[in-house]
Amino acid sequence: MEGGRGVIATLASVSIATRVLLIEPMFLAAVFAAGATYPLRAQTQTAKIVGLGAATCQRFTDDVKANPAVRRDYLAWAQGFMSGIISSRPPGVDEGLDLAPVTFDLIRQLHFLEDHCVRNSSLDFSDAVAALYKRLRQEGKT
C-alpha cells in the first residue's frame, strides 16, 4: 500500500502535460496493437485520436509560431504514434523499419511535419504524422 501512495504522490507532482506525454504514446501503442492490422490510411480512422495529434495542422502551425519549444512535444507525440503504428503491423510488414534513420533524422522529420501542415492546414496533425510514416517507409526502401 505504501508503494502505491508513493507512485500516486509522484504522479501528482508531475504536470498534466508531462503525464500525457509519458502515458499517451504507450496508450496509443496498446490501442494499435490491439487490432489495427490493416494498411495505414490517414483518411479512414477507426479510433479517436487524442492528445496533440487531435489538433489540426493549422493549430500545430499556430502553436509552433506562438511557442517554438512546443515543437518538441508534437514531435514526441508523432514518434509515439508512429511507434504504435509499427508495433501493430502484421508479421513481415515494416519489420526493421527505422523511425529515426540517419538519412531522415528527427529535425528533418519535424521540418517534414511543418511543411506538410503548412500545405494542408485543414488536415489533422495525425494525418501529417501518417504521411511522415509513409515517407519513412520510402526512406527504408532506398
Side-chain angles (χ1 to χ4, degrees), residues 55-62 116-117 120-125 128:
T56 63
C57 274
Q58 184 62 57
R59 176 65 187 258
F60 165 67
T61 301
D62 292 345
H116 188 83
C117 279
N120 302 283
S121 60
S122 64
L123 292 180
D124 288 337
F125 181 72

Side-chain angles (χ1 to χ4, degrees), residues 40-43 57 60 71-83 85-86 94 97-101 103-117 119-120 123-141:
L40 174 67
R41 288 183 222 158
Q43 69 276 14
C57 274
F60 165 67
R71 295 163 76 203
R72 176 189 62 226
D73 300 333
Y74 276 97
L75 185 60
W77 187 92
Q79 288 291 304
F81 188 71
M82 291 190 300
S83 294
I85 293 170
I86 200 169
D94 293 345
L97 177 62
D98 187 353
L99 295 178
T103 57
F104 212 88
D105 65 10
L106 295 179
I107 297 299
R108 192 164 172 200
Q109 289 181 36
L110 183 59
H111 290 154
F112 177 95
L113 292 169
E114 290 170 334
D115 294 344
H116 188 83
C117 279
R119 290 190 319 271
N120 302 283
L123 292 180
D124 288 337
F125 181 72
S126 62
D127 295 326
V129 177
L132 174 58
Y133 185 87
K134 289 178 184 178
R135 176 63 183 86
L136 291 173
R137 289 180 81 199
Q138 291 174 350
E139 191 70 22
K141 293 177 183 176

Side-chain angles (χ1 to χ4, degrees), residues 11 14 21 24 34 41 54 58 66 69 92 96 101 118 125:
L11 283 176
V14 175
L21 287 173
E24 185 174 295
R41 288 183 222 158
Q58 184 62 57
V118 165
F125 181 72

Side-chain angles (χ1 to χ4, degrees), residues 29-44:
V31 167
F32 279 102
T37 58
Y38 45 86
L40 174 67
R41 288 183 222 158
Q43 69 276 14
T44 306

